[in-house]
Amino acid sequence: MNERETDVLVLGSGIAGLTYALKAAAHGTVAIVTKKERAVSSTNYAQGGIAAVMAPEDEPALHVRDTLVAGAGLCHTQAVLALVAEGPDRVHDLIDWGVRFSRSGDDFSFGREGGHSRRRILHAGDFTGKEIERALLQAVADHPRIDLCEDTVAIDLLVGRDHTGRPRAGGALVLDHRAGTLQTIHARVTLIATGGIGQAYRHTTNPEIATGDGVAMAARAGAAVANLEFVQFHPTALYPAEQRAFLISEAVRGEGAVLRTIEGDLLPIDHALGSLAPRDIVARHIDRYMKDSGAPHAMLDLSPIDHAEIRDRFPGILAETAARGLDILTAPIPVVPAAHYACGGVMTDGDGRTTIPGLYAAGEVACTGVHGANRLASNSLLEAVVYSHRASEQVASEIAITCRDAVVRTPPRNGSAGTGTGTLADLRGRIRDLMWEKAGIVRHTAQLEEAREELSALLGEIEAIRTVTPLEPEAVEARNLACVAELVVRCAIGRRESRGLHHNEDYPYRDNERFLRDTVIEAGGSET
């Protein structure tokens, strides 16, 4: 097995991992591991933009309020205050790295999305994520102390001991799947920035790489995870939703588009903002409409928006829908909800530290406390740059600490051993169908309990296959999907109320007396 050393190891090449790497490189050598090509990330598919208080008519207090309202009582106030206060400076970092946001004359062009009381979404047309990735990847390529390793999948984290004997992260075991070789990367500091868990569901806007790798690896290594029951379903994915559904940005509704039934009536949404209500509310109303009426989808009507505005503001959506035979200038768009964003993840403090010293997390993989029970639109890119910056400020002190005897520490499995009778593709499909049917937008306790048992059996089958076949990325991903799906279900079972993105028909109301708190799964699997 090959071995190498670096001061800082970054797992993931989205906005969080790249911004962290660029800042961490001021203090030492950095290796970035990404399991696909460097530009394949959820960031690259982000259409809407990045929320920041930079418009003259906006106020920090309003952004804080909007975030707290969307979060349904579970946002960590200090985390939100830091997000809003530091956001503009982090946006200027992006601009300094070459990101070109859309402008209206000499000023930025600000969009508005669901839950926002002001226009504060900076964007680059409807290719914001792609533009951010372009600029950051160029900056990384130009940096002499950063090495970006493509087509390399992280399998598990290494954990050793520091000079006092305490557990400490020490890098990762990775697989170069082009060469088929294993490598141990020893690092003084490790950042997980592997993105989300969307591929755990049948329909998702996430890319194929979003298999929950970081959450699963961190949990196996003993890090605490939190709030994984809060999975955001984007209300408007283009129907029919394929393996990675094409997202119709919420910014379209921010410019005036409205949701309708197939018959053409306004979709009844019980909220003052109507079609611009927070995503959890809109997604549940579409889901209810589809189930009650038997309709396969709802309709998104763009007729309130001027044709010139559609062409200027949403060229990507216009091109993609046209390629599928739809003329959105003259007819509404068929839409369905799809898994979009995980508000929970690896639990961190205000500087990105996990519960394992030397291990940090940023971006969608992390649970910083910003999003609470429901993410406010376009806060995700902002959270990624703010908290990756905060984590990077700890590098100088962290790389002075040595980690000894770092190895993979995977706890023994509980549950079914499995027979390995299915293929990895079949097992992955069964996980996605199971999560969609029993742990999706609307949940029931009995179905969640069934899902937990079935996922344990599926994980056993995957482990059985892994013992008799050569190591391959598909097996790594399937194992991680089963692991993170089980964590989502366990968190959902533990929250016996309905709040934000978690809606349980058996407990349809909020219970502030018992559940105004995070759902945390500690090291060893205990729940608090």
Short mmCIF file of all heavy atoms in Angstrom, two decimals, residues 327-375:
data_model
loop_
_atom_site.label_atom_id
_atom_site.label_comp_id
_atom_site.label_asym_id
_atom_site.label_seq_id
_atom_site.Cartn_x
_atom_site.Cartn_y
_atom_site.Cartn_z
N ASP A 327 -41.48 24.59 -24.27
CA ASP A 327 -41.35 26.04 -24.53
C ASP A 327 -41.91 26.77 -23.32
O ASP A 327 -43.11 27.01 -23.23
CB ASP A 327 -42.09 26.43 -25.80
CG ASP A 327 -41.94 27.92 -26.11
OD1 ASP A 327 -41.24 28.64 -25.36
OD2 ASP A 327 -42.53 28.38 -27.11
N ILE A 328 -41.05 27.13 -22.37
CA ILE A 328 -41.52 27.72 -21.12
C ILE A 328 -41.97 29.16 -21.29
O ILE A 328 -42.53 29.74 -20.36
CB ILE A 328 -40.44 27.61 -20.03
CG1 ILE A 328 -39.21 28.45 -20.38
CG2 ILE A 328 -40.07 26.17 -19.79
CD1 ILE A 328 -38.15 28.48 -19.27
N LEU A 329 -41.74 29.74 -22.46
CA LEU A 329 -42.26 31.09 -22.72
C LEU A 329 -43.76 31.07 -23.00
O LEU A 329 -44.43 32.09 -22.85
CB LEU A 329 -41.51 31.72 -23.89
CG LEU A 329 -40.00 31.92 -23.73
CD1 LEU A 329 -39.41 32.50 -25.00
CD2 LEU A 329 -39.70 32.80 -22.53
N THR A 330 -44.26 29.91 -23.39
CA THR A 330 -45.68 29.84 -23.77
C THR A 330 -46.47 28.81 -22.97
O THR A 330 -47.70 28.80 -23.04
CB THR A 330 -45.82 29.50 -25.26
OG1 THR A 330 -45.20 28.22 -25.51
CG2 THR A 330 -45.16 30.56 -26.12
N ALA A 331 -45.78 27.94 -22.24
CA ALA A 331 -46.50 26.88 -21.49
C ALA A 331 -45.83 26.66 -20.14
O ALA A 331 -44.61 26.88 -19.99
CB ALA A 331 -46.50 25.59 -22.30
N PRO A 332 -46.59 26.24 -19.13
CA PRO A 332 -46.01 26.00 -17.81
C PRO A 332 -45.10 24.77 -17.79
O PRO A 332 -45.16 23.93 -18.70
CB PRO A 332 -47.24 25.80 -16.92
CG PRO A 332 -48.31 25.35 -17.84
CD PRO A 332 -48.05 26.03 -19.16
N ILE A 333 -44.28 24.69 -16.74
CA ILE A 333 -43.31 23.60 -16.61
C ILE A 333 -43.86 22.55 -15.64
O ILE A 333 -44.26 22.88 -14.52
CB ILE A 333 -41.98 24.13 -16.05
CG1 ILE A 333 -41.43 25.29 -16.88
CG2 ILE A 333 -40.95 23.01 -15.96
CD1 ILE A 333 -40.20 25.94 -16.25
N PRO A 334 -43.86 21.26 -16.01
CA PRO A 334 -44.26 20.21 -15.06
C PRO A 334 -43.16 20.01 -14.01
O PRO A 334 -41.99 19.85 -14.36
CB PRO A 334 -44.43 18.98 -15.94
CG PRO A 334 -43.54 19.23 -17.13
CD PRO A 334 -43.54 20.71 -17.34
N VAL A 335 -43.53 20.03 -12.73
CA VAL A 335 -42.53 19.95 -11.66
C VAL A 335 -42.97 18.98 -10.56
O VAL A 335 -44.17 18.80 -10.32
CB VAL A 335 -42.25 21.33 -11.03
CG1 VAL A 335 -41.55 22.25 -12.01
CG2 VAL A 335 -43.53 21.97 -10.50
N VAL A 336 -41.98 18.38 -9.89
CA VAL A 336 -42.20 17.51 -8.73
C VAL A 336 -41.12 17.81 -7.69
O VAL A 336 -40.04 18.30 -8.03
CB VAL A 336 -42.13 16.02 -9.10
CG1 VAL A 336 -43.27 15.61 -10.00
CG2 VAL A 336 -40.79 15.68 -9.75
N PRO A 337 -41.37 17.51 -6.42
CA PRO A 337 -40.31 17.66 -5.42
C PRO A 337 -39.22 16.61 -5.60
O PRO A 337 -39.47 15.51 -6.11
CB PRO A 337 -41.05 17.44 -4.08
CG PRO A 337 -42.49 17.64 -4.40
CD PRO A 337 -42.67 17.16 -5.81
N ALA A 338 -37.99 16.94 -5.19
CA ALA A 338 -36.86 16.01 -5.23
C ALA A 338 -35.91 16.33 -4.09
O ALA A 338 -35.76 17.50 -3.70
CB ALA A 338 -36.13 16.11 -6.58
N ALA A 339 -35.29 15.30 -3.53
CA ALA A 339 -34.34 15.49 -2.43
C ALA A 339 -33.24 16.44 -2.88
O ALA A 339 -32.64 16.26 -3.95
CB ALA A 339 -33.74 14.15 -2.00
N HIS A 340 -32.95 17.43 -2.05
CA HIS A 340 -32.09 18.53 -2.51
C HIS A 340 -30.94 18.85 -1.55
O HIS A 340 -29.82 19.07 -2.00
CB HIS A 340 -32.95 19.77 -2.72
CG HIS A 340 -32.23 20.95 -3.28
ND1 HIS A 340 -31.57 20.91 -4.48
CD2 HIS A 340 -32.07 22.22 -2.80
CE1 HIS A 340 -31.03 22.10 -4.73
NE2 HIS A 340 -31.31 22.90 -3.72
N TYR A 341 -31.22 18.91 -0.25
CA TYR A 341 -30.20 19.41 0.67
C TYR A 341 -30.39 18.80 2.05
O TYR A 341 -31.52 18.72 2.55
CB TYR A 341 -30.27 20.93 0.77
CG TYR A 341 -29.09 21.56 1.49
CD1 TYR A 341 -27.95 21.91 0.80
CD2 TYR A 341 -29.13 21.77 2.87
CE1 TYR A 341 -26.86 22.46 1.45
CE2 TYR A 341 -28.05 22.33 3.53
CZ TYR A 341 -26.92 22.67 2.81
OH TYR A 341 -25.85 23.22 3.47
N ALA A 342 -29.29 18.39 2.68
CA ALA A 342 -29.32 17.87 4.05
C ALA A 342 -28.96 18.99 5.02
O ALA A 342 -27.85 19.51 4.98
CB ALA A 342 -28.33 16.71 4.19
N CYS A 343 -29.91 19.35 5.88
CA CYS A 343 -29.64 20.41 6.86
C CYS A 343 -28.81 19.89 8.02
O CYS A 343 -28.18 20.67 8.74
CB CYS A 343 -30.95 20.99 7.39
SG CYS A 343 -31.85 21.94 6.15
N GLY A 344 -28.82 18.59 8.24
CA GLY A 344 -27.98 18.00 9.28
C GLY A 344 -26.71 17.44 8.69
O GLY A 344 -26.46 17.52 7.49
N GLY A 345 -25.89 16.83 9.54
CA GLY A 345 -24.64 16.25 9.07
C GLY A 345 -23.68 16.02 10.23
O GLY A 345 -24.11 15.78 11.36
N VAL A 346 -22.41 16.12 9.95
CA VAL A 346 -21.39 15.94 10.98
C VAL A 346 -21.41 17.16 11.89
O VAL A 346 -21.27 18.30 11.43
CB VAL A 346 -19.99 15.77 10.35
CG1 VAL A 346 -18.94 15.50 11.44
CG2 VAL A 346 -20.00 14.64 9.33
N MET A 347 -21.60 16.95 13.17
CA MET A 347 -21.77 18.07 14.10
C MET A 347 -20.45 18.82 14.29
O MET A 347 -19.40 18.22 14.53
CB MET A 347 -22.26 17.55 15.46
CG MET A 347 -22.78 18.64 16.37
SD MET A 347 -23.67 17.96 17.79
CE MET A 347 -22.31 17.24 18.71
N THR A 348 -20.52 20.16 14.17
CA THR A 348 -19.33 21.00 14.34
C THR A 348 -19.62 22.14 15.30
O THR A 348 -20.77 22.48 15.57
CB THR A 348 -18.87 21.61 13.00
OG1 THR A 348 -19.84 22.59 12.57
CG2 THR A 348 -18.70 20.55 11.93
N ASP A 349 -18.54 22.75 15.78
CA ASP A 349 -18.68 23.98 16.55
C ASP A 349 -18.60 25.18 15.60
O ASP A 349 -18.62 25.02 14.38
CB ASP A 349 -17.64 24.05 17.68
CG ASP A 349 -16.20 24.20 17.17
OD1 ASP A 349 -15.99 24.38 15.94
OD2 ASP A 349 -15.28 24.15 18.00
N GLY A 350 -18.47 26.38 16.16
CA GLY A 350 -18.47 27.58 15.34
C GLY A 350 -17.26 27.75 14.46
O GLY A 350 -17.23 28.64 13.59
N ASP A 351 -16.23 26.92 14.65
CA ASP A 351 -15.03 26.98 13.82
C ASP A 351 -14.82 25.73 12.99
O ASP A 351 -13.71 25.48 12.50
CB ASP A 351 -13.80 27.23 14.71
CG ASP A 351 -13.81 28.60 15.36
OD1 ASP A 351 -14.16 29.58 14.67
OD2 ASP A 351 -13.50 28.69 16.56
N GLY A 352 -15.87 24.94 12.84
CA GLY A 352 -15.79 23.76 11.97
C GLY A 352 -15.23 22.52 12.61
O GLY A 352 -15.07 21.49 11.94
N ARG A 353 -14.91 22.56 13.91
CA ARG A 353 -14.37 21.38 14.58
C ARG A 353 -15.46 20.32 14.78
O ARG A 353 -16.56 20.64 15.22
CB ARG A 353 -13.80 21.73 15.95
CG ARG A 353 -12.63 22.68 15.97
CD ARG A 353 -12.15 22.86 17.41
NE ARG A 353 -11.12 23.88 17.51
CZ ARG A 353 -11.36 25.18 17.67
NH1 ARG A 353 -12.62 25.62 17.75
NH2 ARG A 353 -10.38 26.04 17.75
N THR A 354 -15.14 19.09 14.50
CA THR A 354 -16.03 17.98 14.85
C THR A 354 -15.67 17.52 16.26
O THR A 354 -14.83 18.12 16.94
CB THR A 354 -15.86 16.81 13.87
OG1 THR A 354 -14.60 16.15 14.12
CG2 THR A 354 -15.91 17.28 12.42
N THR A 355 -16.30 16.43 16.70
CA THR A 355 -16.00 15.92 18.04
C THR A 355 -14.73 15.08 18.07
O THR A 355 -14.34 14.60 19.14
CB THR A 355 -17.19 15.09 18.57
OG1 THR A 355 -17.50 14.05 17.63
CG2 THR A 355 -18.41 15.97 18.77
N ILE A 356 -14.07 14.89 16.93
CA ILE A 356 -12.76 14.24 16.89
C ILE A 356 -11.71 15.31 16.65
O ILE A 356 -11.73 15.99 15.61
CB ILE A 356 -12.68 13.18 15.76
CG1 ILE A 356 -13.72 12.08 15.97
CG2 ILE A 356 -11.28 12.57 15.69
CD1 ILE A 356 -13.75 11.05 14.86
N PRO A 357 -10.77 15.53 17.58
CA PRO A 357 -9.72 16.54 17.37
C PRO A 357 -8.98 16.30 16.06
O PRO A 357 -8.71 15.16 15.67
CB PRO A 357 -8.80 16.34 18.58
CG PRO A 357 -9.70 15.79 19.65
CD PRO A 357 -10.67 14.90 18.91
N GLY A 358 -8.67 17.39 15.37
CA GLY A 358 -7.97 17.30 14.10
C GLY A 358 -8.85 17.07 12.91
O GLY A 358 -8.39 17.12 11.77
N LEU A 359 -10.15 16.82 13.14
CA LEU A 359 -11.10 16.58 12.06
C LEU A 359 -12.10 17.73 12.01
O LEU A 359 -12.76 18.05 13.01
CB LEU A 359 -11.86 15.27 12.27
CG LEU A 359 -12.88 14.91 11.19
CD1 LEU A 359 -12.20 14.64 9.86
CD2 LEU A 359 -13.72 13.70 11.62
N TYR A 360 -12.20 18.35 10.84
CA TYR A 360 -13.11 19.47 10.61
C TYR A 360 -14.11 19.09 9.52
O TYR A 360 -13.89 18.16 8.75
CB TYR A 360 -12.33 20.72 10.19
CG TYR A 360 -11.54 21.35 11.30
CD1 TYR A 360 -10.38 20.76 11.81
CD2 TYR A 360 -11.94 22.56 11.86
CE1 TYR A 360 -9.67 21.33 12.84
CE2 TYR A 360 -11.22 23.16 12.90
CZ TYR A 360 -10.09 22.54 13.38
OH TYR A 360 -9.38 23.11 14.41
N ALA A 361 -15.19 19.85 9.46
CA ALA A 361 -16.18 19.64 8.40
C ALA A 361 -16.77 20.97 7.99
O ALA A 361 -16.95 21.86 8.84
CB ALA A 361 -17.29 18.69 8.86
N ALA A 362 -17.08 21.13 6.71
CA ALA A 362 -17.66 22.38 6.21
C ALA A 362 -18.50 22.07 4.98
O ALA A 362 -18.28 21.09 4.27
CB ALA A 362 -16.58 23.40 5.87
N GLY A 363 -19.46 22.95 4.72
CA GLY A 363 -20.36 22.76 3.59
C GLY A 363 -21.54 21.88 3.98
O GLY A 363 -21.88 21.74 5.16
N GLU A 364 -22.18 21.26 2.99
CA GLU A 364 -23.40 20.51 3.26
C GLU A 364 -23.18 19.33 4.18
O GLU A 364 -24.09 18.93 4.91
CB GLU A 364 -24.02 20.03 1.94
CG GLU A 364 -25.39 19.41 2.11
CD GLU A 364 -26.06 19.06 0.80
OE1 GLU A 364 -25.53 19.41 -0.27
OE2 GLU A 364 -27.14 18.43 0.85
N VAL A 365 -21.99 18.77 4.22
CA VAL A 365 -21.72 17.61 5.07
C VAL A 365 -21.78 17.97 6.55
O VAL A 365 -21.96 17.09 7.40
CB VAL A 365 -20.34 17.00 4.72
CG1 VAL A 365 -19.21 17.90 5.23
CG2 VAL A 365 -20.18 15.60 5.28
N ALA A 366 -21.65 19.25 6.87
CA ALA A 366 -21.56 19.68 8.27
C ALA A 366 -22.91 20.12 8.81
O ALA A 366 -23.77 20.59 8.08
CB ALA A 366 -20.56 20.83 8.38
N CYS A 367 -23.06 19.99 10.13
CA CYS A 367 -24.20 20.56 10.84
C CYS A 367 -23.65 21.65 11.74
O CYS A 367 -23.16 21.38 12.84
CB CYS A 367 -24.93 19.49 11.65
SG CYS A 367 -26.38 20.12 12.52
N THR A 368 -23.70 22.89 11.26
CA THR A 368 -23.15 24.03 11.99
C THR A 368 -24.17 24.66 12.93
O THR A 368 -23.79 25.47 13.78
CB THR A 368 -22.68 25.12 11.02
OG1 THR A 368 -23.83 25.63 10.30
CG2 THR A 368 -21.66 24.59 10.03
N GLY A 369 -25.44 24.34 12.73
CA GLY A 369 -26.50 24.99 13.48
C GLY A 369 -27.15 26.14 12.74
O GLY A 369 -28.13 26.72 13.21
N VAL A 370 -26.62 26.50 11.57
CA VAL A 370 -27.17 27.62 10.80
C VAL A 370 -28.59 27.33 10.31
O VAL A 370 -29.48 28.17 10.40
CB VAL A 370 -26.26 27.96 9.61
CG1 VAL A 370 -27.01 28.76 8.55
CG2 VAL A 370 -25.04 28.74 10.08
N HIS A 371 -28.83 26.13 9.78
CA HIS A 371 -30.07 25.86 9.06
C HIS A 371 -31.22 25.42 9.95
O HIS A 371 -32.38 25.52 9.55
CB HIS A 371 -29.84 24.81 7.97
CG HIS A 371 -28.76 25.17 7.02
ND1 HIS A 371 -28.75 26.36 6.32
CD2 HIS A 371 -27.63 24.50 6.64
CE1 HIS A 371 -27.65 26.40 5.56
NE2 HIS A 371 -26.98 25.29 5.73
N GLY A 372 -30.92 24.90 11.14
CA GLY A 372 -31.99 24.42 11.98
C GLY A 372 -32.78 23.32 11.32
O GLY A 372 -32.22 22.37 10.77
N ALA A 373 -34.11 23.44 11.33
CA ALA A 373 -34.97 22.40 10.78
C ALA A 373 -35.31 22.63 9.31
O ALA A 373 -36.01 21.82 8.71
CB ALA A 373 -36.27 22.32 11.59
N ASN A 374 -34.81 23.72 8.73
CA ASN A 374 -35.10 23.99 7.31
C ASN A 374 -34.16 25.10 6.82
O ASN A 374 -34.11 26.18 7.40
CB ASN A 374 -36.55 24.43 7.13
CG ASN A 374 -36.93 24.63 5.68
OD1 ASN A 374 -36.29 24.09 4.77
ND2 ASN A 374 -37.95 25.43 5.44
N ARG A 375 -33.45 24.83 5.74
CA ARG A 375 -32.50 25.82 5.20
C ARG A 375 -33.23 26.91 4.43
O ARG A 375 -34.08 26.64 3.58
CB ARG A 375 -31.53 25.11 4.25
CG ARG A 375 -30.57 26.04 3.53
CD ARG A 375 -29.66 25.27 2.62
NE ARG A 375 -30.37 24.70 1.49
CZ ARG A 375 -30.35 25.19 0.26
NH1 ARG A 375 -29.67 26.30 0.00
NH2 ARG A 375 -30.99 24.60 -0.72
#
